[in-house]
Amino acid sequence: MVIKVKDLPEEEYILPGTRMCSGCGLQIAYRWALKALGPNTIVCNPASCSTVTGGVGGYTPIKVPVMYNCFETVAAHASGVSAALAAKKKDKEIVVVAWAGDGGTYDIGIQGLSGAAERRSNFIYVCYNNQAYMNTGIQRSSATPFGAKTTTTPIIGKAQVNKNMFKIMRAHGLSYIATCATGYPQDLFEKFKKAREFNGKGVRYIEILSSCPPGWGHKVNESVEVTKKAVESGYWPLMEVIEGKLVISNPSKKYIDKSKRKDVRKYLKMQSRFKHFTEDDFKVWEEYIDDLWKELGWELEKQGDL
Amino acid sequence: MVKKIVITGNHAAAYACKSAGVEVVAAYPITPQSPVVEKISEFVEAGEMTKSNTQFVCVESEQSAISAVIAASATGCRVFTASSANGLAYMFELLCWAAGSRLPVVMCIAMRGLGAPWTVWTDHQDAFSVRDVGFMQQFVESNQEIYDTVLMSYRIAEDPRVYLPAFVSYDGYILSHTMMPVQIEDDDKVSKFLPTLKPHTDLTNMGTRPGLNPVTPPDLTVRPEGNTPGYYEFRYSMQKAHENAFEVIEEAARDFAKIFGRSYGNGIYKAYKADDAEILIFAVASVASESRGVVDRLREEGLKIGLISLKLFRPFPVKYLREAFSKANLVVVFDRDIGYGYEGILAYEIKAALYPSENRPIIRGFIVGLGGRDITPEDLIGGVKKAVSEKDDRNVQLATHTDFIGLKLDQLGFKKGGN
Ligand SMILES: Cc1ncc(C[n+]2csc(CCOP(=O)(O)OP(=O)(O)O)c2C)c(N)n1
Ligand code: SF4
Ligand SMILES: [Mg+2]
């Protein structure tokens, strides 16, 4: 059951006055995630836009302990915190979260993440995926989707489709994996609660599609709307893998049926990074979405859930 | 239980971790350090480290090893890691992070030459190449000294006057894989010397905080509640911590001698037959221990020679070395390392240190034994004799080339003096 807004905890762990751009999706996600996790949370944070969330020079709007660390090492840092908690026998009461961008996850940090996942280090790994290196000025990452313009794919847009991190993490046999989007904070809240309940069961991986007005080129008041469109088109299925079993989350359930999926052009046309798209480019996206659901459908069928 | 056992240098390091009650270890295997990792895993799996509830994080790389111990140290635990050469180089970014976070991480380096080309044999290039990251750096000459220096390092690194990470460096194979008798001390006795860690940072102290290592601007952050330092002030405090370390190191060396009856000079350098010496050899680790016999032999020939074996390389004990070299008129430096494009690292460091001395000795440097090339006593004797005979030769003093001892260029068909 989706939690009602009135039942959400009032306590805020990120106070107003962060240094994020207005309309920053990562900040929406961060705020709701910490609401779900509560005060007994230690965050590890690699170089990324979220480092800036934490403030500069001793000012911080974040109310839980955060350790800032190098770009590629967040999973190892979180493993270290979690080992220390185990040594001190505080690992039951305190939850450790690695909070990284797509660059820190898909690219430079993938080795450390894979290592931590395989050895069952105990923490929640969050990738807020804004689909580029935003902090350094919107350069392409391996999470950048096909065709998107970034400052390193400046004229024709990215020629390759993004890496499938969801499948990569599934291949590690994790206890809990989920996808979220900034347009569905209640869904996100529930999933973080669940990930916390899996404390003690190795790495739990949550990936959040995180809107970014300067990086994606949408209006600052569309940060919620834009990822809703992504979900409605079927491009970004909200789902979970619980102890190996695939579960499509409520907001995405109806898009198992292709005819219910909305035109992905609605999503793409909200963003200037896709402004140059031709019919052929739209087709690549449509095929990408079809293939994605075909595979999910096979699996649901095999599980007897279709 | 006190016991004397015959073990390798790597195992001496592992036993020191056990004696120190290290709580989190993360390390990744590399020759010649690997047996450290293996031995600690064995201790943990055999339940021999349950008192400290030690967690061994079996990481997938050196970068993750050092990251994990940094984070565990910031969570209030005593931590340990070890590496060599390429593994150490792979840690570079995080070594700076450990020091900048002022975390008392203790780490062993089983020294090895840096590739390319591949080598697994000893030289000191790896340890010296991380000179400026902010760690304290110590070099040792025996397996007992490894064990003892690791224990001393925790005490020094965890002292609030210091709060700096520390390296303990020993030669690959020469110590790492060579068995020597080592006294393993009783836990109670160790805890008398090494009190429990009182961390300055513990992430489990929940509540509002500025975060550890946030973005720190060049200048002060001025605000009504009080100003916070800029990056520049943080880094100044690191330099001050290094300066404070000397007294803490001397105290630790004195207490160690009192409790365990063993000492390594003043904890800063070890002098051998140096009192009346006019010629002093300056070296670290394997080269220093090799030099001891050389001093004996040259003494028999009537040379007034001694040795200063440097134990503490960072902070660089300038004041102590000016004193130690005040009566020498010739210093012969043997570097198992090189500052490419210049000369041996110890040679140029000691030249800089002694420059303002009243009685400035002639300083002659030689490169020896890179990548495990055997260093024979004859090699070192040859170096000393060359330095003695050319001491007053102005042309030699002014020469800018670097002398290598033990090269075999002739056998490769190179003409003498060519390159
Ligand atoms: C080793 C290293 N390489 C490069 C950088 C520069 N850098 C800092 S953040 C960043 C991009 C971060 O991208 P992502 O992880 O997607 O987070 P975002 O900024 O998009 O939130 C880069 C390239 C760095 N800090 N460290
Ligand atoms: S660039 Fe994007 S991700 Fe970064 S702070 Fe701005 S909106 Fe947020
Ligand atoms: Mg990004």
Side-chain angles (χ1 to χ4, degrees):
Chain A
M1 225 24 253
V2 173
I3 188 162
K4 300 215 170 63
V5 174
K6 68 174 177 49
D7 296 329
L8 285 167
E10 276 179 37
E11 180 83 28
E12 296 288 350
Y13 299 96
I14 300 188
L15 301 174
T18 71
R19 288 176 173 247
M20 316 313 285
C21 310
S22 30
C24 174
L26 121 73
Q27 190 177 311
I28 301 172
Y30 207 172
R31 177 179 167 222
W32 285 73
L34 288 181
K35 265 184 188 285
L37 297 173
N40 279 340
T41 304
I42 295 174
V43 180
C44 295
N45 190 203
S48 59
C49 274
S50 54
T51 313
V52 186
T53 326
V56 167
Y59 283 103
T60 186
I62 301 179
K63 291 210 295 194
V64 296
V66 183
M67 182 175 188
Y68 298 95
N69 36 250
C70 297
F71 188 21
E72 67 283 22
T73 56
V74 72
H77 277 281
S79 303
V81 174
S82 122
L85 293 180
K88 295 172 151 218
K89 304 201 165 82
K90 288 185 179 173
D91 49 330
K92 301 256 174 341
E93 57 193 272
I94 299 173
V95 72
V96 184
V97 179
W99 185 271
D102 49 295
T105 304
Y106 281 59
D107 291 338
I108 201 165
I110 193 169
Q111 173 182 313
L113 170 56
S114 176
E118 183 273 338
R119 73 175 166 261
R120 301 290 184 261
S121 278
N122 180 36
F123 60 91
I124 302 174
Y125 189 101
V126 183
C127 170
Y128 66 91
N129 181 0
N130 53 22
Q131 303 189 324
Y133 303 156
M134 297 310 177
N135 186 245
T136 39
I138 324 174
Q139 295 87 11
R140 152 211 210 278
S141 79
S142 60
T144 303
F146 172 80
K149 276 195 187 174
T150 67
T151 52
T152 49
T153 52
I155 296 164
I156 27 191
K158 191 180 165 187
Q160 305 82 7
V161 295
N162 50 278
K163 189 185 276 184
N164 191 331
M165 198 65 196
F166 187 76
K167 276 203 208 166
I168 292 172
M169 294 318 291
R170 282 199 77 179
H172 287 80
L174 302 184
S175 59
Y176 185 75
I177 303 176
T179 59
C180 303
T182 51
Y184 299 84
Q186 284 134 293
D187 174 74
L188 182 148
F189 180 91
E190 302 271 336
K191 285 171 175 166
F192 273 84
K193 280 262 180 233
K194 234 181 253 178
R196 198 188 201 297
E197 281 159 23
F198 277 85
N199 195 20
K201 292 193 164 176
V203 170
R204 288 85 76 200
Y205 179 80
I206 299 184
E207 180 157 338
I208 308 164
L209 183 65
S210 265
S211 39
C212 165
W216 292 10
H218 60 78
K219 297 200 189 85
V220 295
N221 60 1
E222 289 173 348
S223 295
V224 168
E225 193 51 35
V226 70
T227 60
K228 277 200 162 141
K229 291 266 188 303
V231 171
E232 289 165 359
S233 69
Y235 162 64
W236 191 261
L238 299 178
M239 52 192 170
E240 295 172 297
V241 178
I242 306 169
E243 307 280 19
K245 189 175 186 294
L246 176 69
V247 181
I248 305 296
S249 313
N250 279 332
S252 282
K253 267 207 179 110
K254 62 175 175 244
Y255 308 120
I256 297 175
D257 177 353
K258 184 175 175 180
S259 67
K260 299 267 167 54
R261 288 176 218 153
K262 303 205 174 131
D263 189 348
V264 74
R265 286 170 182 74
K266 283 198 181 134
Y267 170 62
L268 298 171
K269 283 183 172 170
M270 285 175 84
Q271 307 169 56
S272 66
R273 60 179 173 153
F274 303 118
K275 214 168 71 190
H276 58 292
F277 265 27
T278 61
E279 251 328 285
D280 286 347
D281 297 321
F282 290 128
K283 287 239 167 61
V284 173
W285 273 72
E286 283 166 353
E287 275 167 30
Y288 175 90
I289 295 168
D290 283 351
D291 288 349
L292 189 80
W293 282 100
K294 223 180 275 165
E295 257 190 62
L296 292 174
W298 289 332
E299 184 164 353
L300 292 171
E301 206 176 317
K302 213 165 74 190
Q303 288 180 178
D305 291 335
L306 203 66
Chain B
M1 191 188 52
V2 189
K3 55 176 179 186
K4 197 155 207 160
I5 50 177
V6 182
I7 50 174
T8 62
N10 282 330
H11 285 186
Y15 272 97
C17 282
K18 192 164 104 167
S19 297
V22 168
E23 295 162 283
V24 176
V25 180
Y28 190 77
I30 181 168
T31 305
Q33 156 269 25
S34 308
V36 184
V37 189
E38 295 165 356
K39 193 70 188 168
I40 295 173
S41 313
E42 187 187 313
F43 286 150
V44 172
E45 285 199 6
E48 290 180 39
M49 291 180 82
T50 45
K51 213 164 91 185
S52 43
N53 197 20
T54 307
Q55 308 290 311
F56 182 78
V57 189
C58 206
V59 286
E60 82 304 326
S61 71
E62 286 86 357
Q63 196 182 48
S64 289
I66 180 77
S67 299
V69 297
I70 288 170
S73 181
T75 315
C77 286
R78 186 171 283 162
V79 302
F80 178 81
T81 188
S83 195
S84 299
N86 296 56
L88 180 70
Y90 190 28
M91 288 182 176
F92 184 83
E93 182 184 9
L94 281 300
L95 297 174
C96 304
W97 206 261
S101 314
R102 303 292 299 278
L103 294 167
V105 173
V106 173
M107 169 170 180
C108 283
I109 303 174
M111 292 184 285
R112 154 178 168 177
L114 279 161
W118 277 120
T119 174
V120 294
W121 294 279
T122 191
D123 69 33
H124 305 157
Q125 196 70 24
D126 53 356
F128 282 120
S129 67
V130 290
R131 185 189 60 185
D132 295 331
V133 296
F135 271 59
M136 294 182 283
Q137 287 190 267
Q138 299 156 98
F139 291 86
V140 301
E141 290 182 65
S142 73
N143 293 357
Q144 184 73 58
E145 195 179 356
I146 295 173
Y147 176 85
D148 293 350
T149 306
V150 169
L151 292 183
M152 282 190 264
S153 294
Y154 282 110
R155 167 139 154 191
I156 299 158
E158 292 169 4
D159 190 295
R161 290 167 287 179
V162 180
Y163 281 143
L164 285 171
F167 291 127
V168 178
S169 300
Y170 52 88
D171 283 77
Y173 293 112
I174 293 177
L175 292 189
S176 73
H177 285 65
T178 304
M179 312 269 270
M180 294 179 185
V182 176
Q183 174 128 331
I184 307 298
E185 297 294 348
D186 182 73
D187 283 355
D188 291 339
K189 219 166 160 191
V190 171
S191 55
K192 236 186 274 161
F193 173 75
L194 179 62
T196 44
L197 165 68
K198 288 188 200 70
H200 67 84
T201 295
D202 181 350
L203 290 169
T204 63
N205 294 333
M206 315 303 283
T208 308
R209 53 177 59 239
L212 185 57
N213 300 324
V215 179
T216 303
D219 218 328
L220 298 185
T221 305
V222 178
R223 55 179 173 177
E225 311 90 284
N227 303 343
T228 48
Y231 178 92
Y232 200 27
E233 283 75 23
F234 277 113
R235 288 283 159 159
Y236 164 79
S237 81
M238 256 168 82
Q239 171 69 6
K240 281 285 149 201
H242 271 273
E243 290 169 12
N244 291 343
F246 295 116
E247 62 167 303
V248 179
I249 291 165
E250 282 200 277
E251 275 170 28
R254 274 197 302 271
D255 274 3
F256 195 91
K258 227 183 281 162
I259 295 174
F260 302 110
R262 289 187 297 277
S263 60
Y264 303 92
N266 49 5
I268 290 168
Y269 66 83
K270 293 161 277 179
Y272 182 66
K273 301 195 175 171
D275 280 349
D276 64 338
E278 289 163 4
I279 306 163
L280 280 170
I281 296 176
F282 187 52
V284 298
S286 58
V287 188
S289 51
E290 181 94 10
S291 299
R292 289 172 187 266
V294 165
V295 166
D296 291 345
R297 277 174 59 176
L298 289 171
R299 282 257 167 192
E300 278 168 26
E301 292 181 21
L303 229 53
K304 280 195 161 176
I305 186 166
L307 162 75
I308 299 297
S309 166
L310 188 68
K311 182 170 173 68
L312 179 71
F313 176 68
R314 278 293 181 276
F316 198 64
V318 174
K319 197 183 81 189
Y320 299 80
L321 293 176
R322 282 190 193 141
E323 181 61 35
F325 288 107
S326 62
K327 290 193 291 265
N329 56 43
L330 175 64
V331 178
V332 186
V333 189
F334 292 114
D335 269 288
R336 201 165 203 169
D337 59 82
I338 180 164
Y340 285 101
Y342 192 18
E343 62 176 328
I345 293 163
L346 282 172
Y348 69 68
E349 298 254 348
I350 193 67
K351 281 181 185 172
L354 301 188
Y355 182 74
S357 298
E358 301 228 329
N359 170 30
R360 200 189 301 155
I362 296 292
I363 300 173
R364 182 73 187 270
F366 295 97
I367 307 299
V368 289
L370 298 186
R373 174 67 56 91
D374 193 25
I375 304 170
T376 64
E378 287 68 31
D379 286 336
L380 301 184
I381 288 169
V384 171
K385 288 191 171 165
K386 193 166 197 275
V388 171
S389 70
E390 295 174 351
K391 175 172 164 278
D392 299 318
D393 184 333
R394 195 66 188 136
N395 287 329
V396 174
Q397 289 170 9
L398 291 173
T400 54
H401 72 274
T402 304
D403 280 318
F404 285 68
I405 293 177
L407 283 176
K408 297 190 175 165
L409 298 180
D410 308 353
Q411 293 170 42
L412 291 165
F414 291 96
K415 289 207 188 73
K416 273 233 154 57
N419 52 14

